[in-house]
Amino acid sequence: MNSLHDASTAMNAPERMTTDTEQLMHGIGRDARAAARVLALASTEQKNRALTAAAAALRRAVPEILAANALDVAAAEKAERAPSFIDRLKLDAKRVSGIAQGLDDIAALADPVGTVLAEWTRPNGLRFQRVRVPLGVIGIVYESRPNVTADAGALSLKSGNAAILRGGSESHHSAQAIHACLVAGLRAAELPEAAIQLVPTTDRAAVGHMLRGLGGSIDVIVPRGGKSLVARVQQEARVPVFAHLEGICHTYVDRGADIDMAVEVVLNAKMRRTGVCGATECLLVDANAHDDYLTPLVKALLDAGCEVHGDAAAQAVDTRVKPATEEDWGREFLEAIIAVRQVDGVDGAIEHIARYGSQHTDAIVTECAGTAERFLARVDSAIVLWNASTQFADGGEFGFGAEIGIATGKMHARGPVGVEQLTSFKYVVRGHGQIRPV
């Protein structure tokens, strides 16, 4: 082969790869659309059979899943990824068992499809019903969490939707192993395997094709990942997006708080799992508290191994506290680091959250019901809590079985996106020959 031909081949390779990826993705889209038509009419029993069979397959495949995950973790460690990233990526037998239990929990949920949301009869005798229906085909773009493969596929299936899953290259082996179990469940229930498809390529162009809708095959995109991923999806998507922005979550400790409760809630909110989106990233403490609430809270965090970036008041508590920068107040750390500052009562906390928060999850700790209700009413976040840890920002804890993500937008879905949030509705109108007068 001569050098001119070699050069021509090299120049055309990216174009050919893009073309191949485009053909692949549009084929996936067509298959998903066909599967969605089947799923929309599938019985509850058939969908549940697929889910329970997939859960059983996951439990049988623990060694294979962990072996695949070990490849992903080794690559992440070699690339010197952050400990918080590796924690989100890593699986063990307990976590795989939890993923399987999540599928069983979703199977146990009520089927939303076909639910009559409202019905009425007009004076002309027309009978109206508003009925839940699937969205159709859901594209899910996510990064390092392998469990999203199972959660997103299962929630889509239960709600009668086909799913196209595009996980990050960092979790590719883990996602493939989990996806194989979902396919086994679909086979057992005699449902189309294209109902839950995992994009087989790590080519980044695949995401672009999904964001453009695959020629009308995708009805909605759900991004789940870091700020850069979500920003790309929001900027490029030509189909509706269930936005999941950063989890810049706050816990505010009011002057009316039980300090022992406050310490326990704050420690859990920050340190239970530091890499989840519901972890508290900023602690706000009422400067008007009669007792010194700041000292026990800061010392408890430091003693638990959390790095504290604080304002002048927090720095005065302990020499281990590092000075906070302006960037710290709106930062999603996703590790054992927290920003701490005093604020002027509940209104100061509300003002701070409005300025620096991401409308994800925010909590107040207080024994004063009036103060709590003021906070709950005025903080404009998807989830607001009173005397509870922000780590309850999880679909399973809401009784949704699992979630695809926490939607921070205000259109259609907000908060944990579970089976009900993955449906729309249509109007069914029954008559007996009515015509509209001229």
Side-chain angles (χ1 to χ4, degrees):
M1 189 175 291
N2 60 45
S3 59
L4 181 60
H5 187 278
D6 288 346
S8 175
T9 300
M11 286 190 296
N12 290 331
E15 180 182 351
R16 194 166 59 248
M17 182 176 68
T18 300
T19 301
D20 291 346
T21 300
E22 183 175 11
Q23 291 174 347
L24 168 70
M25 295 306 299
H26 279 262
I28 287 172
R30 287 191 295 272
D31 291 345
R33 178 58 67 191
R37 289 192 286 268
V38 176
L39 287 180
L41 302 175
S43 68
T44 301
E45 185 277 331
Q46 193 175 19
K47 291 185 288 187
N48 288 347
R49 185 154 33 104
L51 292 168
T52 54
L58 278 166
R59 294 185 176 101
R60 291 193 301 269
V62 169
E64 292 85 355
I65 293 170
L66 296 185
N69 182 248
L71 297 175
D72 292 330
V73 171
E77 290 174 340
K78 184 177 180 180
E80 298 183 343
R81 301 303 297 262
S84 58
F85 180 94
I86 293 173
D87 176 65
R88 293 193 297 274
L89 174 63
K90 194 170 187 178
L91 294 175
D92 55 26
K94 183 178 180 181
R95 286 189 178 182
V96 176
S97 176
I99 293 171
Q101 184 59 50
L103 299 194
D104 284 333
D105 291 344
I106 293 170
L109 295 173
D111 189 343
V113 179
T115 301
V116 177
L117 301 172
E119 54 186 328
W120 63 95
T121 301
R122 296 288 294 154
N124 61 5
L126 286 177
R127 293 183 294 125
F128 290 75
Q129 289 183 322
R130 187 185 303 129
V131 182
R132 282 197 188 278
V133 296
L135 291 172
V137 177
I138 302 172
I140 302 100
V141 183
Y142 54 104
E143 291 180 335
S144 61
R145 293 184 185 276
N147 66 289
V148 177
T149 302
D151 291 348
L155 287 168
S156 298
L157 174 61
K158 180 74 180 198
S159 53
N161 298 290
I164 300 175
L165 311 175
R166 205 291 187 175
S169 58
E170 303 89 348
S171 60
H172 191 62
H173 296 96
S174 308
Q176 284 181 319
I178 292 171
H179 177 253
C181 298
L182 299 178
V183 172
L186 292 169
R187 287 198 201 103
E190 299 181 338
L191 287 170
E193 293 182 22
I196 305 173
Q197 296 181 83
L198 180 68
V199 174
T201 178
T202 58
D203 181 4
R204 287 175 59 86
V207 175
H209 293 302
M210 290 178 67
L211 299 183
R212 289 189 288 275
L214 301 182
S217 292
I218 292 182
D219 294 289
V220 66
I221 288 281
V222 181
R224 183 161 178 178
K227 186 175 183 178
S228 60
L229 169 67
V230 176
R232 180 190 177 190
V233 170
Q234 291 182 315
Q235 290 168 7
E236 298 181 20
R238 298 181 186 173
V239 294
V241 175
F242 286 172
H244 174 113
L245 297 178
E246 294 174 289
I248 304 172
C249 305
H250 299 77
T251 297
Y252 165 62
V253 178
D254 181 64
R255 75 191 77 172
D258 178 312
I259 190 60
D260 292 331
M261 175 195 291
V263 169
E264 187 174 4
V265 168
V266 168
L267 282 177
N268 182 269
K270 177 68 235 183
M271 299 299 288
R272 173 188 165 270
R273 285 192 68 186
T274 59
V276 298
C277 64
T280 285
E281 304 291 23
C282 183
L283 169 63
L284 304 173
V285 182
D286 191 347
N288 304 305
H290 297 301
D291 298 319
D292 181 9
Y293 282 7
L294 192 60
T295 296
L297 289 163
V298 168
K299 287 189 176 295
L301 286 163
L302 290 166
D303 292 345
C306 185
E307 183 178 306
V308 176
H309 297 187
D311 64 0
Q315 292 172 59
V317 166
D318 195 295
T319 57
R320 292 174 291 175
V321 176
K322 298 181 179 181
T325 65
E326 178 66 19
E327 290 73 26
D328 285 330
W329 305 127
R331 184 174 167 192
E332 186 181 35
F333 295 102
L334 294 176
E335 54 185 314
I337 305 174
I338 192 170
V340 179
R341 85 182 312 177
Q342 284 190 330
V343 291
D344 186 13
V346 67
D347 289 335
I350 293 167
E351 181 181 349
H352 176 99
I353 292 168
R355 179 175 179 182
Y356 296 104
S358 60
Q359 298 186 311
H360 191 292
T361 300
D362 299 292
I364 180 173
V365 182
T366 185
E367 295 299 296
C368 178
T371 301
E373 293 301 334
R374 185 177 183 84
F375 182 94
L376 298 176
R378 298 194 178 198
V379 172
D380 186 19
S381 295
I383 303 169
V384 286
L385 305 104
W386 175 14
N387 288 346
S389 167
T390 58
Q391 299 239 354
F392 283 104
D394 176 85
E397 295 298 328
F398 276 57
F400 294 175
E403 67 179 42
I404 283 183
I406 306 289
T408 53
K410 296 184 180 181
M411 298 300 291
H412 183 77
R414 197 175 194 205
V417 178
V419 290
E420 288 190 3
Q421 290 73 29
L422 294 178
T423 62
S424 181
F425 58 82
K426 67 181 178 183
Y427 290 98
V428 177
V429 185
R430 294 181 173 87
H432 44 82
Q434 287 92 333
I435 60 173
R436 189 170 179 179
V438 177

